[in-house]
Amino acid sequence: MCGIAGVLDGQAATGRDALAAVAERMGASLRHRGPDDGAIWVDEAAGIALAHRRLSIIDLSAAGRQPMVSRAGRYVLVWNGELYNFRDLRGRLESNGAQFRGHSDTEVMLAAIEAWGLERALVRANGMFAFAVWDREDRRLRLARDRVGEKPLYYASTGSTFLFGSELRALREHPSCPSGVDRDALTALLRYGYIPEPWSILRGVRKLPPGTFLEVDPNDRSLRPPTPYWQAEDVVARALAAPRLSGVEAVDATHRALSDAVRIRLESDVPLGALLSGGIDSSLVVALMQEHSSTPVRTFTIGSSDRANDEAPEAKAVARALGTDHTEMYVEPAEARAIVTELPAIYDEPLADPSQLPSVVVARLARRAVTVVLSGDGGDELFGGYNRYVLGDAVWRRARHVPAAVRRPIGSALSRIPPESSDRLYRRVEHLMPRAARVRLPGDKLQKLGDVIAAPDLDALCRALVSQWHDPTEVVIGGVEPHVAFADPSSGPSLPDTVDRLMYRDLLGYLPGDALVKLDRATMSVALEGRLPFLDDRVVETAWSLDRSAKIRDGQGKWALRRVLDRYLPSELVDRPKMGFDLPLDGWLRSDLREWAEALLEPKRLAAEGYFRPEPVRKLLDGHVRGRRNDAYRLWPLLAFQAWLESERTRPAAPA
């Protein structure tokens, strides 16, 4: 796991010293991603400089250093990530005469590109990665990103200069990097809570979409669109064309795929552990890790003093049952609140997912003892774990038969009920309800139910379920919502099933745009590598091959995963409502964070900056702090951007 960056001057008019200097700065900005080593490679005649920061995981020797030149000297590679099937690929390459200097996965990927070409190497690669490879023969630069988007890669083309890097901060070390805010991307941030690919917060800077590669010809100033080598649409199409698995057959297939995905992610030359929340996904990952390990697995959990949102006791019980070496830490509210001011520096681009705070805390805890962790991220999106899948499907199956003219006023009425009122009523009757039927944030969910009921069609329902703001352009000045493929009903496969439609959208949108960004920045801020077995391409294909009954059954998600976990743990340890580490944002914004929020959203300040219309923002904040309704999750994207904008004022300009 590392940080990569580079610059290509298409006119080759930049001297070696200048190329080396900017590459050094770009690499140095990513030191947190790779504190173990750093190096650059420069070809003045070609106008290219590559930078690499190394977090040593496999082959800690100098043979694993980057930028790495291929054995024949044709290719130069900077790589961020892990190639999990590198031993298998190395065997194939060696049988065809390839020779290796060390035992790193980076060297195997480089040899694969040299032997098979970029696209065939990508198709055969099982891993998480973002990389750049320079071809010294045809003088072209190529960038590539893993199938689902675990590792980030930004790029920009300005005139004859092309820039790329693992994070925005690397590109901004070059004076040619665009600096203006993309107002269209800002509207997407308000709707979704994240900025989806290919946009970034900076106008003119793009993210390479997952499952694609980009070819840059320095002699051609018109940048070609990225080329896909893997598409989720193809996976779904194959699944829909074949009989889908159910029952024991579905459970066995899931078990086999996930077990091997865990096994190949245990390869490491440094200490390794797992993040354990006590939920289905992380518990299953740890169970499979322990099955493949001869020693107790190191597991890490954070807890909350708020028992309603605390899974630490459940995680501890799971750890005890599996025999792991467990570490837990309880987080005080003041500690979590203090991290709020660090988020712009950690994430480098606005992200409005409040769970980024506990993600940072647990990453810091784990890094005290290990350098690599496995996590259960991806299980919800692939196996039907989110409540919105169950809610959306149940409501739509009933509501679609009711005329829209009847549904809309009912939905609007539910949406207007203050969440606090619903929460108070719920607390009075919660003890009478079965444990599995209890929910978190009932008032917020009732408002969301109103939005769903009022939706005119299935695509509008899907959009309502994932929207923080229903019309971001009402507050973003000059912003137009960008077209995103996952929200376009005319693109992608035909999915009449509500659950399939929602999970497909999350696979292309929420997962790479939010969940994986959250984990990558949180872990890499402390040079901790996160590995995700659920996002192995074989697990993805297996998940889509399952019948819906193997995912959602009796109003409960992840049926197949639960049945696999039954083979390792008593069901009572994990059979409970989905919790997570919820932050009391609504209360914080009325108390400890109120002064911070009011300063960032002060009307005169907003008017001077010119991004948000002050009137609707002030009305929203006033209504929240006075307790009229809970708008914490609508305020958070505004605050995430404003905090990021505040951090921009102290960012030093790149040397000319």
Side-chain angles (χ1 to χ4, degrees):
M1 191 65 63
C2 306
I4 64 172
V7 55
L8 175 61
D9 175 2
Q11 296 180 339
T14 308
R16 179 180 179 81
D17 290 347
L19 283 171
V22 74
E24 286 279 9
R25 292 197 306 272
M26 295 172 81
S29 73
L30 301 171
R31 191 180 189 281
H32 56 285
R33 299 184 71 93
D36 296 333
D37 194 11
I40 62 170
W41 181 89
V42 179
D43 184 341
E44 180 181 2
I48 189 167
L50 304 176
H52 187 262
R53 289 298 317 185
R54 186 182 184 191
L55 176 61
S56 302
I57 302 293
I58 295 175
D59 192 349
L60 310 186
S61 74
R65 291 194 77 194
Q66 300 179 49
M68 186 178 290
V69 181
S70 66
R71 192 168 187 87
R74 176 175 177 176
Y75 297 100
V76 187
L77 178 72
V78 282
W79 164 274
N80 168 33
E82 296 292 346
L83 184 64
Y84 298 122
N85 63 337
F86 78 98
R87 292 193 181 280
D88 174 59
L89 295 183
R90 178 170 175 145
R92 291 197 221 177
L93 291 163
E94 286 178 329
S95 67
N96 291 325
Q99 296 180 328
F100 293 87
R101 295 171 289 234
H103 65 272
S104 74
D105 58 330
T106 306
E107 189 178 5
V108 172
M109 190 64 191
L110 189 53
I113 293 170
E114 192 163 56
W116 302 323
L118 177 65
E119 189 163 3
R120 282 202 294 162
L122 286 168
V123 169
R124 294 176 180 179
N126 181 335
M128 60 170 183
F129 50 78
F131 67 85
V133 59
W134 172 249
D135 188 332
R136 300 169 81 178
E137 184 175 301
D138 71 8
R139 296 170 73 91
R140 293 189 181 186
L141 179 68
R142 295 173 177 88
L143 312 182
R145 194 172 176 206
D146 63 66
R147 288 169 172 80
V148 185
E150 293 184 58
K151 293 293 103 185
L153 193 54
Y154 293 81
Y155 67 92
S157 181
T158 58
S160 62
T161 302
F162 181 85
L163 311 170
F164 72 88
S166 296
E167 297 180 22
L168 278 177
R169 69 183 89 233
L171 279 68
R172 301 183 77 173
E173 290 297 326
H174 194 287
S176 294
C177 180
S179 59
V181 170
D182 188 327
R183 293 172 186 264
D184 296 349
L186 185 54
T187 66
L189 175 68
L190 264 62
R191 177 172 294 281
Y192 301 112
Y194 61 90
I195 300 173
E197 283 93 357
W199 292 273
S200 82
I201 193 61
L202 297 183
R203 186 174 59 250
V205 178
R206 292 289 180 261
K207 300 166 189 165
L208 186 66
T212 69
F213 65 90
L214 178 70
E215 185 173 290
V216 184
D217 182 349
N219 298 315
D220 184 358
R221 293 194 182 185
S222 60
L223 202 60
R224 301 176 185 175
T227 301
Y229 67 89
W230 182 90
Q231 292 180 287
E233 181 177 353
D234 296 336
V235 174
V236 175
R238 286 194 295 271
L240 296 178
R244 301 181 86 171
L245 306 179
S246 61
V248 175
E249 190 179 18
V251 177
D252 288 344
T254 300
H255 195 173
R256 285 193 302 271
L258 192 55
S259 178
D260 199 58
V262 168
R263 180 189 63 80
I264 64 175
R265 282 164 177 77
L266 298 180
E267 180 92 35
S268 176
D269 293 337
V270 294
L272 177 146
L275 305 182
L276 177 62
S277 71
I280 299 291
D281 305 333
S282 65
S283 297
L284 182 50
V285 167
V286 172
L288 293 168
M289 289 176 70
Q290 196 61 75
E291 184 176 52
H292 290 295
S293 176
S294 59
T295 59
V297 171
R298 296 292 305 268
T299 53
F300 304 90
T301 297
I302 57 170
S304 168
S305 56
D306 178 8
R307 184 63 189 97
N309 298 314
D310 179 27
E311 285 187 305
E314 287 80 4
K316 187 174 184 178
V318 169
R320 186 183 300 115
L322 293 174
T324 74
D325 180 359
H326 190 59
T327 301
E328 66 179 22
M329 180 179 75
Y330 277 79
V331 183
E332 295 302 320
E335 181 181 359
R337 289 192 299 268
I339 294 175
V340 169
T341 59
E342 299 180 50
L343 294 180
I346 293 172
Y347 282 86
D348 198 35
E349 183 178 35
L351 176 67
D353 184 340
S355 64
Q356 61 200 127
L357 276 76
S359 296
V360 170
V361 175
V362 74
R364 291 175 178 178
L365 172 65
R367 189 60 175 94
R368 297 174 187 174
V370 299
T371 311
V372 177
V373 289
L374 272 66
S375 168
D377 290 80
D380 286 312
E381 293 84 356
L382 291 171
F383 290 90
Y386 289 127
N387 291 328
R388 63 175 174 267
Y389 300 153
V390 180
L391 169 70
D393 179 58
V395 172
W396 187 247
R397 279 190 287 111
R398 293 164 176 80
R400 64 184 177 182
H401 301 297
V402 179
V406 177
R407 284 190 282 110
R408 285 174 186 165
I410 296 174
S412 297
L414 290 174
S415 298
R416 286 195 297 269
I417 298 175
E420 291 80 0
S421 301
S422 304
D423 290 345
R424 283 194 295 270
L425 177 61
Y426 181 83
R427 283 193 292 270
R428 292 176 184 173
V429 301
E430 182 180 18
H431 67 284
L432 302 174
M433 302 170 62
R435 194 178 184 205
R438 298 173 190 175
V439 297
R440 299 178 297 142
L441 305 174
D444 291 337
K445 287 182 169 58
L446 185 63
Q447 284 194 331
K448 184 67 74 174
L449 175 62
D451 297 336
V452 169
I453 289 174
D457 54 43
L458 180 54
D459 286 301
L461 175 143
C462 293
R463 191 174 176 87
L465 283 170
V466 299
S467 294
Q468 306 288 4
W469 285 75
H470 296 295
D471 184 8
T473 60
E474 71 181 15
V475 67
V476 178
I477 299 172
V480 177
E481 284 201 65
H483 174 269
V484 288
F486 65 81
D488 182 356
S490 66
S491 66
S494 176
L495 295 170
D497 181 84
T498 311
V499 175
D500 280 349
R501 185 88 61 98
L502 287 166
M503 288 197 295
Y504 182 76
R505 289 172 63 116
D506 279 346
L507 179 60
L508 269 63
Y510 172 77
L511 190 61
D514 185 319
L516 298 182
V517 173
K518 176 184 66 179
L519 183 70
D520 175 80
R521 304 304 194 279
T523 54
M524 294 309 294
S525 69
V526 291
L528 177 70
E529 175 172 293
R531 298 179 178 178
L532 310 178
F534 278 104
L535 299 187
D536 187 295
D537 56 285
R538 297 166 301 169
V539 176
V540 174
E541 298 227 2
T542 298
W544 276 97
S545 75
L546 304 186
D547 183 76
R548 194 176 77 162
S549 65
K551 297 176 182 177
I552 296 177
R553 186 179 295 196
D554 300 326
Q556 193 176 52
K558 296 192 279 198
W559 182 84
L561 294 185
R562 293 172 189 273
R563 300 295 75 79
V564 176
L565 191 55
D566 285 345
R567 299 171 178 178
Y568 296 92
L569 288 171
S571 61
E572 60 266 21
L573 285 184
V574 290
D575 190 12
R576 62 185 188 278
K578 190 175 179 64
M579 290 177 64
F581 192 102
D582 258 356
L583 299 172
L585 272 186
D586 55 340
W588 287 3
L589 291 174
R590 296 184 183 111
S591 55
D592 299 67
L593 294 181
R594 178 173 176 174
E595 184 177 345
W596 170 78
E598 289 185 331
L600 289 176
L601 300 179
E602 199 274 324
K604 290 183 179 178
R605 176 177 186 160
L606 296 182
E609 292 166 344
Y611 295 108
F612 296 135
R613 292 184 175 87
E615 297 80 7
V617 173
R618 193 66 209 181
K619 182 178 179 181
L620 188 75
L621 182 60
D622 285 347
H624 180 84
V625 298
R626 284 167 173 73
R628 289 196 290 267
R629 56 181 291 144
N630 178 8
D631 276 315
Y633 284 85
R634 296 182 75 205
L635 287 165
W636 201 244
L638 299 170
L639 292 166
F641 174 76
Q642 288 295 110
W644 174 83
L645 195 63
E646 174 76 12
S647 72
E648 290 297 287
R649 295 190 174 96
T650 60
R651 182 189 295 274

